[in-house]
Amino acid sequence: MVQLFAGYKALVEFENFGRSTRYLAWISFCSPLPKPLGFSTRNRILLHPMLDVKEAFPNFIEKLEKILNSCNTIKDDHATMLKRKIRKSQKRFPIKSKVEALDRTYLSRVRMATVTAYIGDRMHVTYDHESIPNDQGFIFSVNSEYVHPIGWAMAVGHEIFDPIENLDPLSESYFPEYPKDIELEVGQVLEARHPYDPYVIASASIDTILKHGYFMASFKSTPKELKRPTRYCFHITSAYIYPVGFCERNGIALRKGEETSSMGLSAPLHLLPTRPTHQFSEQLKFEATDVNDPQYLGPVTVQKVAEHMLYIHFDSWPLEDPSNSAWISADSPDIYPLGYAELIGHKLQCDPVSKNQNN
């Protein structure tokens, strides 16, 4: 009998007919391991209870049937229901389809790419006309806001490397809805998750207004190894932009560049609708991908909750190194319940050695 769930894991208790000794085990619930009641009888499989239960109740089968006849059970296809849902999500960008994906070498533009493989809802893309030697491509969630159908950049006015000419325009229904009465202007300032350092929330300023609710933000607090300012595209409804004062209100250290409220008005993001509530809390555990190295999927612990944002730390990595942590939205497609890696057949990476091997 299931006692509780933790993600895709279930804590089950084996029937002991009220004896003091309890037998508990964690199992992968969305797997072929658990069977519906009656499975053994229909398939002529002999049930074996724990040894002490069998000795105390020689007629345990009859006793078990009386108890279980009144219990609810799982469906015969419960193990494949979720996998069917995952496979359905892959239809958004089928294998071999062309997409416009965030250019991981130059974050202010997108470039043409080809979907080459899936594992669960994680899709691997290879960049077309890639100039990086021995490049292995990149991995995104199929629901990522950083991957788009062909024609997105042209419709939005976003920079794209080596674009395709004479494209049919994208349908208006593709673009996210947003409040049209919120007016963004060049020079307005805001706070946002830093594109290169996802463990940091930094000040930024709007430098270009695009179409369909998108805009380019400029960060002056750029990593030293980059010789150019960091520019990044956001949608006005993005979970990773915040009104000025967000960090102060939530006790977060804001990385400041030259963008200050004295240089421009605050972007009116406070006028956006309130985001849905969530059930996350500090010390809660789940699985997540590393934003900068998305082939890494491992267990994380929530260190801080700031409204809809979660500050997560990858387990087994030193807490004192902030690069082992990240700010991520509570509704991000890059976080998963415990047991997801096992469900899709992905290696759960939970030690520094496995992460270093990916770099």
Side-chain angles (χ1 to χ4, degrees), residues 34-279:
K35 308 293 184 184
L37 297 177
F39 176 85
S40 296
T41 301
R42 293 195 302 271
N43 292 275
R44 298 182 180 181
I45 298 174
L46 185 62
L47 282 175
H48 292 278
M50 297 299 176
L51 183 59
D52 60 334
V53 174
K54 185 175 182 180
E55 291 175 348
F57 303 98
N59 62 336
F60 79 93
I61 290 292
E62 296 177 7
K63 190 174 181 66
L64 185 64
E65 288 178 348
K66 292 180 180 179
I67 294 176
L68 298 184
N69 281 339
S70 60
C71 294
N72 294 324
T73 189
I74 58 179
K75 295 182 178 181
D76 289 328
D77 63 344
H78 87 283
T80 59
M81 291 174 63
L82 183 58
K83 291 183 178 180
R84 286 201 300 268
K85 183 177 180 180
I86 292 174
R87 286 195 295 269
K88 185 177 180 180
S89 71
Q90 297 173 359
K91 294 181 179 180
R92 183 186 182 206
F93 297 117
I95 291 178
K96 297 184 179 180
S97 62
K98 296 289 186 179
V99 296
E100 295 178 1
L102 178 70
D103 188 338
R104 66 181 184 81
T105 65
Y106 205 104
L107 298 185
S108 62
R109 70 184 181 192
V110 295
R111 64 189 303 157
M112 301 292 298
T114 303
V115 179
T116 57
Y118 273 99
I119 178 166
D121 68 348
R122 312 292 301 173
M123 64 178 181
H124 178 270
V125 305
T126 55
Y127 292 105
D128 297 351
H129 311 294
E130 184 57 80
S131 58
I132 303 175
N134 303 315
D135 182 69
Q136 301 298 313
F138 209 63
I139 298 174
F140 299 92
S141 164
V142 70
N143 297 310
S144 172
E145 60 185 285
Y146 310 125
V147 183
H148 310 279
I150 300 299
W152 176 85
M154 181 181 68
V156 170
H158 194 284
E159 181 183 355
I160 180 171
F161 178 80
D162 197 17
I164 297 176
E165 303 296 336
N166 302 319
L167 293 172
D168 293 331
L170 281 180
S171 169
E172 290 287 330
S173 62
Y174 169 77
F175 298 97
E177 295 184 358
Y178 66 98
K180 303 297 192 298
D181 56 340
I182 297 180
E183 296 184 4
L184 300 182
E185 298 177 2
V186 172
Q188 290 177 335
V189 295
L190 62 147
E191 298 173 5
R193 187 180 73 174
H194 199 283
Y196 284 102
D197 298 327
Y199 55 90
V200 167
I201 295 179
S203 58
S205 61
I206 298 174
D207 68 25
T208 307
I209 303 296
L210 305 176
K211 301 174 184 177
H212 299 290
Y214 291 93
F215 64 91
M216 298 299 298
S218 177
F219 297 79
K220 296 298 190 296
S221 54
T222 299
K224 294 180 180 180
E225 59 271 18
L226 292 178
K227 298 181 180 180
R228 60 180 183 273
T230 298
R231 299 178 69 243
Y232 202 67
C233 179
F234 292 101
H235 192 265
I236 192 173
T237 61
S238 171
Y240 299 107
I241 58 173
Y242 326 100
V244 171
F246 173 84
C247 284
E248 182 179 5
R249 184 169 67 247
N250 289 283
I252 301 168
L254 174 69
R255 179 189 285 180
K256 296 181 179 180
E258 298 175 9
E259 316 88 341
T260 64
S261 57
S262 63
M263 292 180 63
L265 297 174
S266 300
L269 303 181
H270 62 284
L271 299 177
L272 289 168
T274 303
R275 290 189 172 272
T277 58
H278 58 80
Q279 302 300 314

Side-chain angles (χ1 to χ4, degrees), residues 121-122 141 143-146 193 239-240 275 280 286-289 291 308-310 312 327-337:
D121 68 348
R122 312 292 301 173
S141 164
N143 297 310
S144 172
E145 60 185 285
Y146 310 125
R193 187 180 73 174
Y240 299 107
R275 290 189 172 272
F280 290 97
F286 48 87
E287 296 174 11
T289 58
V291 176
H308 66 285
M309 295 299 296
L310 312 174
I312 60 173
W327 284 105
I328 199 158
S329 173
D331 60 358
S332 169
D334 293 316
I335 62 177
Y336 303 94

